[in-house]
């Protein structure tokens, strides 16, 4: 007889399997990333349906197998991120974050801390905090999971942690102005962009609402993160390309927003 247990899970992806069944990929608090088989949910009145939607967190009653597919039997405490599900812009950023998590995390890599971060990040997007900032935070933090996290605490040469910095590919980390000569081909990035990237690597999600960033600085941050990913990670997710294309037409669909002063 199968042993059923309760696991907290965040839906990473859902896809149909044959006519009536689904394959559900969850990032669980207890077991890390797992693929589940869900049988016979084609009926729209099936009670499991709400727990099988993208951008949903729930407690799943499951038969956890040590290898291969596990099985979902029931669910409770289903919490959808409804605003993300209904908003194309929020949906795009959240999709990319979860796809990036899927790419960065090995199956069965248990990480309760990351589970909580993902839930807090999605809740922040759902609650109308800036999704681009939240995306950037995860992009920086996932560098560690890809095994390529650079030294962002301070200058890799002298260790100083205050002041302006630039990124050096040669030294896989930051340089202070006194040591810029150590790498003439450093990024020559905006000091503001480096400042926020350093902040993103350590900031608590409870403090995200205290950050506002000008569009010009966002573009500079984007350029640095793109360079880091091109150089260190090398993956090209379709959801990321969609965000790039979305920026070309989102201003036509969104009402004009008031500009905010940047807070350091």
């Amino acid at each position: 007889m199968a042993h059923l247990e309760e696991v907290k899970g965040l839906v990473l992806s859902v896809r149909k399997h044959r006519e009536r069944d689904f394959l559900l990929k969850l990032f669980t608090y207890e077991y890390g990333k797992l693929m589940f088989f869900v049988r016979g949910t084609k009926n729209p009145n099936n009670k499991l349906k709400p727990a099988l939607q993208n951008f949903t967190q729930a407690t799943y009653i499951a038969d956890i197998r040590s290898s291969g597919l596990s099985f979902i039997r029931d669910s409770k405490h289903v919490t959808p991120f409804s605003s993300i599900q209904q908003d194309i812009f929020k949906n795009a950023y959240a999709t990319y974050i979860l796809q990036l998590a899927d790419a960065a995390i090995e199956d069965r890599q248990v990480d309760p801390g990351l589970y909580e971060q993902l839930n807090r990040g999605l809740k922040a997007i759902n609650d109308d905090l800036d999704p681009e900032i939240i995306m950037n935070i995860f992009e920086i933090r996932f560098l560690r999971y890809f095994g390529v996290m650079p030294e962002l605490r301070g200058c890799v040469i002298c260790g100083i942690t205050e002041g302006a910095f630039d990124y050096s590919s040669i030294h896989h980390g930051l340089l202070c102005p006194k040591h810029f000569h150590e790498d003439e081909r450093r990024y020559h990035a905006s000091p503001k962009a480096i400042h926020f990237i350093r902040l993103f690597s350590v900031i608590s999600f409870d403090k995200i609402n205290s950050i506002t960033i000008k569009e010009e600085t966002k573009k500079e941050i984007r350029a640095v993160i793109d360079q880091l990913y091109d150089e260190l990670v090398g993956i090209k997710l379709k959801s990321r390309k969609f965000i790039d294309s979305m920026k070309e037409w989102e201003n036509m669909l969104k009402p004009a927003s008031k500009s905010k002063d940047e807070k350091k």
Side-chain angles (χ1 to χ4, degrees):
M1 180 180 293
H3 172 68
L4 298 181
E5 57 184 294
E6 295 185 359
V7 296
K8 291 193 296 183
L10 177 66
V11 177
L12 293 178
S13 66
V14 187
R15 73 173 187 265
K16 289 184 179 179
H17 180 71
R18 298 176 180 171
E19 282 292 317
R20 299 174 57 83
D21 308 323
F22 283 85
L23 292 174
L24 179 70
K25 187 181 291 185
L26 296 179
F27 184 51
T28 70
Y29 184 90
E30 295 84 359
Y31 293 97
K33 188 175 70 175
L34 291 176
M35 183 71 81
F36 292 86
F37 184 82
V38 188
R39 190 184 302 279
T41 57
K42 188 175 181 180
N43 187 330
N45 296 320
N46 189 292
K47 63 180 181 178
L48 261 176
K49 276 284 188 180
L52 306 181
Q53 305 300 313
N54 286 318
F55 316 116
T56 299
Q57 191 273 341
T59 298
Y60 296 87
I61 291 81
D63 171 14
I64 305 294
R65 304 294 175 92
S66 59
S67 62
L69 295 174
S70 296
F71 295 84
I72 297 289
R73 307 299 186 189
D74 204 347
S75 64
K76 62 181 183 179
H77 308 313
V78 179
T79 306
F81 295 101
S82 302
S83 182
I84 294 176
Q85 292 173 344
Q86 298 166 12
D87 185 295
I88 188 173
F89 300 101
K90 295 179 181 181
N91 189 302
Y93 288 103
T95 295
Y96 174 61
I97 290 168
L98 293 182
Q99 288 186 359
L100 199 59
D102 192 7
I105 305 164
E106 298 291 336
D107 289 352
R108 300 179 185 273
Q109 179 179 341
V110 181
D111 193 330
L114 180 58
Y115 177 89
E116 295 295 347
Q117 285 188 56
L118 285 169
N119 269 297
R120 287 189 175 197
L122 292 182
K123 184 178 185 304
I125 294 175
N126 199 69
D127 292 344
D128 296 325
L129 295 183
D130 191 326
E132 191 169 3
I133 291 176
I134 296 162
M135 175 186 70
N136 292 158
I137 289 172
F138 279 111
E139 286 177 309
I140 295 302
R141 295 184 182 184
F142 279 131
L143 291 173
R144 189 177 307 281
Y145 290 86
F146 285 115
V148 294
M149 188 68 176
E151 176 56 73
L152 298 176
R153 291 172 296 183
C155 179
V156 296
I157 304 297
C158 67
I160 191 172
T161 59
E162 299 293 332
F165 295 93
D166 198 3
Y167 180 78
S168 166
S169 298
I170 294 175
H171 295 283
H172 194 57
L174 302 180
L175 295 176
C176 69
K178 289 182 179 179
H179 295 100
F180 281 174
H181 66 276
E182 298 282 350
D183 183 3
E184 296 298 330
R185 300 184 67 182
R186 64 190 185 278
Y187 277 18
H188 296 279
S190 157
K192 285 184 180 179
I194 298 296
H195 164 76
F196 281 108
I197 285 171
R198 296 180 71 208
L199 179 64
F200 293 163
S201 69
V202 297
I203 191 171
S204 165
F205 278 92
D206 296 333
K207 304 287 182 62
I208 293 175
N209 60 356
S210 68
I211 301 175
T212 56
I213 305 177
K214 292 179 180 178
E215 285 302 317
E216 178 183 355
T217 305
K218 284 185 177 183
K219 292 177 182 178
E220 294 168 345
I221 293 169
R222 177 76 267 146
V224 174
I225 293 177
D226 283 346
Q227 281 184 275
L228 288 171
Y229 266 74
D230 288 345
E231 180 180 332
L232 301 175
V233 181
I235 63 171
K236 301 287 186 181
L237 297 176
K238 290 183 179 179
S239 52
R240 181 70 189 82
K241 294 179 180 178
F242 178 77
I243 290 173
D244 290 339
S245 63
M246 180 180 71
K247 281 196 161 293
E248 298 177 3
W249 46 264
E250 67 176 333
N251 289 333
M252 294 186 294
L253 300 179
K254 280 188 170 183
S257 58
K258 295 180 181 179
S259 62
K260 299 179 180 179
D261 292 331
E262 183 172 335
K263 298 179 182 178
K264 294 184 179 179

